Amino acid sequence: MGDYADQWDVLDDAGNVLGSRKLLHPHVNEQPFTRSLSGVSLPDGLTHVTIRARDSVHGFGGREVTLPIPGRGDG
């Protein structure tokens, strides 16, 4: 199937995985595509999360994105 995004994770400040979504195939013909992730438990006091992506060939790497959690802290 080649090189495609095959997973994304939600991380806390310490790098612990709070949730993960595996993608079983490329979504070339579904651009842009969206996939949800439910059931992620956010610990009390957490004000933001980091999202990272995994590539089927190269693994984790590249740009990570940190997002504020609405209603928590300054974010």
Side-chain angles (χ1 to χ4, degrees), residues 32-67:
F33 79 96
T34 60
R35 293 297 180 268
S36 63
L37 177 60
S38 60
V40 177
S41 179
L42 302 176
D44 290 339
L46 189 66
T47 60
H48 59 275
V49 293
T50 299
I51 309 299
R52 71 175 179 186
R54 187 183 127 73
D55 179 277
S56 62
V57 173
H58 303 102
F60 290 108
R63 191 176 131 213
E64 296 181 354
V65 178
T66 300
L67 302 169

Side-chain angles (χ1 to χ4, degrees), residues 8-22:
W8 57 273
D9 296 337
V10 179
L11 308 170
D12 68 9
D13 292 336
N16 298 308
V17 177
L18 302 174
S20 185
R21 173 74 190 247
K22 294 193 186 291

